[in-house]
Amino acid sequence: MKAVKLAPGVHWVGAIDWNLREYHGYTLPGTTYNAYLVRGSEKTALIDGAYHGFEKEVIARIRSVCDPSEIDCIVVNHIEMDHSGTLPEFMRRMPDTPIYCTARAKAGLARHYDTTGWKIHVVRSGDTLDLGGKTLTFLEAPMLHWPDSMFTYLGEDAILFPNDAFGQHVASAARFDDELGIDAAMAHAKKFFANLIIPLAPKVLKKLDEVGKLGIDIRMIAPSHGIIWRWHAGEILKAYTDWSHGVSKDKVTIVYDTMHGSTTMLAKAIAEGVMSEGVDLRLCLLRDGRYEGTHRSDIVTEILDSKAVLVGSPTLQDEVLPTVAGFLSYLRGLQPGRLTAKKIGCGFGSHGGMGGAVAQIEEALKEAGIEVIEGGFQVNYRPDEDELTRAYELGRRVAREIRAR
Ligand code: FEO
């Protein structure tokens, strides 16, 4: 197994997890855990690691550059186990190697591992580590992704190691954006942002502003998952700014599940109304045991750049269907209301008894920070022609309203 060179003395020594298909509640085509080796004239630093189980792969890649015993220090940008899982093995092999991390990371590591005897040095924003012709500067980045997170910047080569930020879950032979292709890289980055970063959007904007004010040159962004942005660092920085601001298209995402097809009839009628106004649309049947449907993680990726979200469910035992309940819970957690630009939405559905699903949907949308508009409605059993016309008109009205925003 080989390391991959980013710059003289800077190598990727991570691991490729080809078989991971679900993580943090969303589907993915595998991922990578990126670790980096930075060799100065006096010291060698290892930045981050991989999940437990990938120790041999990381060590083999390091060995293609130098003997692991030559590592003088380890930088832990983030303690989540997909990056720190290999740390106990490194500390078993090299117990005197100092670890550099934030105060919260030090406390967090002790909650994950037996850190007795580990030489942990707490760093703060602006602290530096001189490796000899290569200087690492630390920048605390709390909540990007966890309270312990920080970025590390290698000034001489203008490389930012931001851990989770700007990452993507993709397993590939490609290590760089130009090798994977910018369109594919951006699509994976968008899904990563939609499923992990949305609730952190205000912190992303604050951190981007802070980094901008530092006036540092960033030629390459080397995240802890996926490809390294060596040609398109500017594009991913701009995409994070736009996504955090909630920059959206004139696009509606309709999400629904159905029991006997009545809610499907409503969803399709609303969709026709949206399309009649020339507005882009995604009609997503939630994935369950009966239909292929669309996974919630792909739906929220569509929602990221949609201006409106309509959610449909029949009423089952006075509740929304379990698939819809799961989706709404996921959406509430992501909090799209934290994006600068707010989205609009409403509920719809069919019922046989007392109904109630639509009210629950709209309550959940509000809790997710989506502005609920008038017009959501439920029908008894099968929608008749008048009700289908009402659904069509709802679609038209939503389309016109988002076009006006
Ligand atoms: Fe990739 Fe927050 O860990």
Side-chain angles (χ1 to χ4, degrees):
M1 288 182 180
K2 297 284 186 196
V4 177
K5 186 176 173 184
L6 280 70
V10 186
H11 289 84
W12 173 85
V13 290
I16 307 173
D17 190 344
W18 293 96
N19 297 309
L20 192 67
R21 290 292 175 270
E22 185 153 12
Y23 184 67
H24 270 288
Y26 83 92
T27 56
L28 54 144
T31 191
T32 66
Y33 312 112
N34 297 338
Y36 299 95
L37 202 63
V38 180
R39 306 198 79 194
S41 59
E42 295 165 21
K43 289 181 180 173
T44 295
L46 175 67
I47 300 177
D48 292 324
Y51 242 136
H52 173 64
F54 289 89
E55 291 84 353
K56 284 183 181 169
E57 183 170 341
V58 173
I59 289 167
R61 292 194 199 282
I62 291 170
R63 235 184 250 293
S64 73
V65 179
C66 66
D67 191 275
S69 64
E70 293 178 45
I71 292 172
D72 297 290
C73 47
I74 297 175
V75 174
V76 175
N77 276 325
H78 179 29
I79 62 165
E80 194 166 1
M81 286 184 284
D82 50 332
H83 309 292
S84 70
T86 49
L87 194 53
E89 175 60 15
F90 277 93
M91 296 319 293
R92 188 187 68 76
R93 289 168 176 249
M94 308 176 297
D96 293 328
T97 309
I99 294 169
Y100 292 82
C101 64
T102 65
R104 283 174 170 151
K106 180 179 179 180
L109 284 173
R111 298 291 300 175
H112 284 77
Y113 312 109
D114 179 4
T115 58
T116 308
W118 291 12
K119 297 180 170 53
I120 301 178
H121 296 255
V122 168
V123 297
R124 299 181 64 87
S125 287
D127 288 353
T128 59
L129 182 59
D130 184 1
L131 305 177
K134 297 218 185 272
T135 311
L136 301 180
T137 302
F138 305 113
L139 180 64
E140 292 167 275
M143 296 315 297
L144 295 176
H145 169 224
W146 277 4
D148 59 278
S149 295
M150 70 173 185
F151 296 173
T152 296
Y153 176 66
L154 173 57
E156 288 81 355
D157 297 292
I159 302 174
L160 183 69
F161 301 95
N163 199 268
D164 280 332
F166 313 112
Q168 339 87 51
H169 283 310
V170 55
S172 165
R175 295 278 71 77
F176 297 99
D177 47 5
D178 51 304
E179 293 174 349
L180 187 66
I182 182 64
D183 291 345
M186 276 294 176
H188 289 298
K190 182 183 173 190
K191 184 168 180 175
F192 189 94
F193 187 99
N195 284 274
L196 280 174
I197 310 292
I198 282 181
L200 316 173
K203 295 192 183 302
V204 169
L205 290 171
K206 199 171 160 212
K207 190 55 61 182
L208 288 173
D209 185 53
E210 195 182 323
V211 170
K213 283 177 180 159
L214 290 175
I216 55 175
D217 182 22
I218 298 176
R219 288 201 292 275
M220 206 181 293
I221 297 177
S224 60
H225 297 291
I227 58 87
I228 296 155
W229 305 94
R230 74 173 166 187
W231 289 110
H232 300 281
E235 281 98 319
I236 189 62
L237 286 168
K238 181 179 184 313
Y240 260 55
T241 304
D242 288 350
W243 292 331
S244 298
H245 278 307
V247 172
S248 304
K249 302 172 185 168
D250 287 347
K251 172 179 160 189
V252 176
T253 296
I254 300 174
V255 190
Y256 72 102
D257 199 354
T258 194
M259 199 184 301
H260 296 297
S262 299
T263 302
T264 301
M265 292 167 71
L266 291 173
K268 288 187 172 175
I270 295 168
E272 287 298 318
V274 171
M275 289 189 289
S276 75
E277 292 289 328
V279 162
D280 196 7
L281 172 86
R282 297 291 183 276
L283 183 63
C284 305
L285 173 64
L286 278 158
R287 181 180 291 179
D288 67 12
R290 295 174 299 162
Y291 305 103
E292 177 61 22
T294 307
H295 192 268
R296 61 177 174 267
S297 56
D298 292 311
I299 294 174
V300 298
T301 307
E302 296 294 347
I303 288 173
L304 177 62
D305 61 3
S306 294
K307 289 184 180 171
V309 185
L310 276 62
V311 179
S313 176
T315 301
L316 173 69
Q317 326 289 22
D318 298 335
E319 298 283 338
V320 295
L321 284 182
T323 45
V324 180
F327 168 76
L328 291 171
S329 168
Y330 195 66
L331 191 67
R332 265 198 310 263
L334 288 171
Q335 286 290 306
R338 290 193 189 155
L339 303 172
T340 312
K342 304 305 174 217
K343 302 180 189 301
I344 61 171
C346 65
F348 63 93
S350 165
H351 70 95
M354 294 294 288
V358 171
Q360 289 175 25
I361 289 168
E362 295 193 340
E363 189 55 34
L365 290 176
K366 283 181 198 165
E367 288 170 2
I370 291 171
E371 179 191 334
V372 173
I373 58 166
E374 295 291 324
F377 68 103
Q378 58 184 4
V379 303
N380 187 220
Y381 297 122
R382 308 290 278 178
D384 61 21
E385 281 307 312
D386 285 348
E387 288 161 336
L388 289 174
T389 300
R390 187 176 169 190
Y392 179 85
E393 290 301 329
L394 171 61
R396 287 189 65 200
R397 191 164 73 76
V398 169
R400 287 197 298 264
E401 187 156 338
I402 63 171
R403 261 207 324 247
R405 285 180 173 235

